[in-house]
Amino acid sequence: MQAQYDQDTYAWALEQASLLRAGKLDQIDIEHIAEEIESVGKGERRALVSQLARLFMHLLKWDHQPQRRLHSERISIIDAQAKAARLLNDNPSLKASLDKIVEVAYEDARRAAAIETEREIDVFPAMPLYSFADAMSFVPESN
């Protein structure tokens, strides 16, 4: 089964699903199925980190470049909030590790904000400026 898993994961997944549905548990590839299930969970966590990093990056830019606040920035903030909220609604167990997720996301956001604003990373505070609740409830005023 290792060869099939390595050569065509899609075909392997379809076969494993069929075996499970047929109750042929003695024929399933338990180790790879376990890896794939873990991977799904990690992917959801990565998706939340990504959306929060995007949100924090736009908030940092919003705070540090008030003269360059654009409608698109406002839309990006609202969109990232909505997508992060949806991920948390779909995966409520992620709330237990939210502090660590915010920490990782904020560090990614600092780096991205520095690149996008062409400023040094030290311009942006090392500790998160926003709590999760503050970031999620922030309402950017329209111009």
Side-chain angles (χ1 to χ4, degrees):
M1 279 193 218
Q2 177 70 39
Q4 184 184 7
Y5 179 78
D6 290 339
Q7 292 173 2
D8 189 344
T9 306
Y10 179 72
W12 170 87
L14 293 176
E15 179 185 29
Q16 296 304 305
S18 178
L19 290 170
L20 284 167
R21 286 187 183 100
K24 298 179 180 179
L25 303 182
D26 59 327
Q27 297 178 37
I28 63 172
D29 183 356
I30 293 172
E31 187 57 37
H32 286 122
I33 289 172
E35 286 177 23
E36 291 298 321
I37 291 170
E38 287 172 344
S39 177
V40 169
K42 289 176 184 176
E44 294 300 310
R45 185 181 188 282
R46 280 191 299 272
L48 181 58
V49 168
S50 177
Q51 288 304 323
L52 289 177
R54 188 167 73 101
L55 173 58
F56 292 143
M57 188 256 319
H58 286 294
L59 290 175
L60 285 168
K61 289 171 55 181
W62 189 270
D63 287 345
H64 285 82
Q65 293 185 314
Q67 73 285 1
R68 296 185 68 188
R69 290 179 181 165
L70 303 172
H71 179 70
S72 61
E73 203 77 35
R74 182 176 173 275
I75 297 303
S76 294
I77 289 169
I78 294 167
D79 184 61
Q81 289 168 327
K83 288 180 178 170
R86 186 176 318 119
L87 281 162
L88 268 180
N89 286 337
D90 291 347
N91 302 282
S93 64
L94 286 172
K95 291 176 185 173
S97 54
L98 208 47
D99 289 343
K100 182 63 178 168
I101 290 170
V102 165
E103 183 181 314
V104 171
Y106 184 77
E107 187 55 35
D108 290 350
R110 278 182 76 217
R111 198 171 32 261
I115 292 166
E116 287 210 13
T117 62
E118 299 178 342
R119 295 179 176 189
E120 294 298 319
I121 196 168
D122 294 340
V123 167
F124 305 101
M127 297 302 295
L129 288 177
Y130 325 95
S131 69
F132 173 78
D134 290 341
M136 293 297 288
S137 63
F138 179 80
V139 178
E141 73 269 4
S142 7
N143 294 340

